[in-house]
Amino acid sequence: MGGAINNPSRPIDGVVHTPLRRIVDERGMVMHHLNHLSPTFKGFEESYISKTYPGKLKAWKLHRKMTQNFCVPVGRMHFVLFDARDDSPTKGEINEFVLDDADQYALLCIPPGIWYGFECLGIETALIVNVSNVYYDPTEALKLDPFDASIPYSGWTNEKP
Amino acid sequence: MGGAINNPSRPIDGVVHTPLRRIVDERGMVMHHLNHLSPTFKGFEESYISKTYPGKLKAWKLHRKMTQNFCVPVGRMHFVLFDARDDSPTKGEINEFVLDDADQYALLCIPPGIWYGFECLGIETALIVNVSNVYYDPTEALKLDPFDASIPYSGWTNEKP
């Protein structure tokens, strides 16, 4: 489905996957996320956290205005993105990413206009921390069922249609 | 030590403890943190995550410029704050807070000039998410040993002097 996970053969235009640093000591660690000089930072209007239980899936969602900057500091999450933008050079592409709190600790920037969904992998509740440039506004978000026929993806592992 | 945990008899001037919402469903939850209209929001320069293992303590630290906006979306953390500001109406006060991912899910705003430390309670690694108005700058932070005699606190539960 569009190349290797975390290394798509055709990266969706505007989607950026960047490994992040973790500074570890005997008490725990500090995990980088985002700062005002980060290339994908588009302004701050809200920071929030999203927990997903093992075996659960949240899909599909699209934001018309919001740029998301996700990291997964606990657990492991599988992200699927679909580019449905008419004016995009990568229209129709699917990209997949797996982010976790260890070797795959990374920032995933999702620009507006991309359908995305995610599912928790493994037995630990997974956490997304997001910094967004648009304060929560239900009118700028669209939703579809995880198995809606308009998105050409059938690889979810936590649910079958 | 200065009144009840999460309800100090003399709240340190500028410290704000605000319960936060969690929106729960069968797949997980969305947990509020901070937005650009929040009363304690002082601007965005960095978002980061700090993990502390069970039994571990991180103290003391003071930021000269940075306002911190902490929440604890995983686990449970005990925070101790000491006001050493010469010009503060609450100079010399100790305040204590316990934040967690359940009934005590809350925002803790710590203004500049406050000594603070925290320890992980329980058996789950605890997580702090912070949005700060100052990008990491080691020259604006001061440190002291957890049992330094200049801070009148001896209640840490994870370590004894």
Side-chain angles (χ1 to χ4, degrees), chain A residues 26-31 33-36 41 44-47 49-53 57 73 101 127 135, chain B residues 27-31 33-36 41 44-47 49-53 57 73 101 127 135:
Chain A
E26 77 288 0
R27 302 163 303 173
M29 65 187 77
V30 172
M31 309 174 85
H33 178 206
L34 193 74
N35 68 70
H36 66 132
F41 177 64
F44 176 91
E45 286 200 358
E46 188 166 22
S47 164
I49 293 113
S50 175
K51 279 187 180 178
T52 305
Y53 300 135
L57 165 66
D101 54 4
L127 206 81
Y135 186 42
Chain B
R27 302 165 301 172
M29 64 187 78
V30 171
M31 308 174 85
H33 179 206
L34 193 74
N35 68 69
H36 66 131
F41 177 64
F44 176 91
E45 286 201 357
E46 189 167 20
S47 165
I49 293 113
S50 176
K51 278 188 180 178
T52 305
Y53 300 135
L57 165 66
D101 55 3
L127 205 82
Y135 186 41

Side-chain angles (χ1 to χ4, degrees), chain B residues 1 38 42 62 91 94 154:
Chain B
M1 302 298 286
S38 301
K42 303 297 181 191
L62 180 150
K91 184 184 176 186
I94 293 273
S154 59

Side-chain angles (χ1 to χ4, degrees), chain A:
Chain A
M1 301 298 286
I5 280 181
N6 293 353
N7 189 23
S9 54
R10 291 201 69 204
I12 291 175
D13 192 51
V15 171
V16 184
H17 173 266
T18 314
L20 289 173
R21 281 190 68 201
R22 300 175 302 148
I23 300 102
V24 176
D25 70 17
E26 77 288 0
R27 302 163 303 173
M29 65 187 77
V30 172
M31 309 174 85
H32 284 191
H33 178 206
L34 193 74
N35 68 70
H36 66 132
L37 305 175
S38 301
T40 63
F41 177 64
K42 302 295 181 193
F44 176 91
E45 286 200 358
E46 188 166 22
S47 164
Y48 67 86
I49 293 113
S50 175
K51 279 187 180 178
T52 305
Y53 300 135
K56 299 304 181 195
L57 165 66
K58 298 183 179 182
W60 297 94
K61 202 163 187 185
L62 179 151
H63 290 282
R64 285 193 268 228
K65 299 177 187 170
M66 190 187 289
T67 293
Q68 323 243 37
N69 275 293
F70 287 162
C71 68
V72 178
V74 177
R76 178 171 285 113
M77 205 84 92
H78 175 212
F79 294 88
V80 183
L81 280 54
F82 173 64
D83 186 356
R85 298 169 297 185
D86 279 333
D87 59 349
S88 170
T90 50
K91 184 183 176 187
E93 290 294 321
I94 292 275
N95 283 182
E96 293 184 76
F97 299 91
V98 171
L99 269 60
D100 68 18
D101 54 4
D103 289 348
Q104 301 305 326
Y105 186 59
L107 183 71
L108 180 61
C109 176
I110 306 176
I114 306 293
W115 286 104
Y116 69 93
F118 48 85
E119 59 183 349
C120 175
L121 304 180
I123 60 170
E124 187 177 20
T125 295
L127 206 81
I128 293 172
V129 177
N130 185 25
V131 163
S132 152
N133 62 329
V134 176
Y135 186 42
Y136 176 69
D137 170 10
T139 68
E140 67 86 43
L142 304 175
K143 290 182 182 181
L144 282 177
D145 181 84
F147 302 101
D148 192 281
S150 63
I151 297 184
Y153 184 77
S154 58
W156 295 118
T157 64
N158 284 353
E159 285 184 38
K160 294 298 170 195

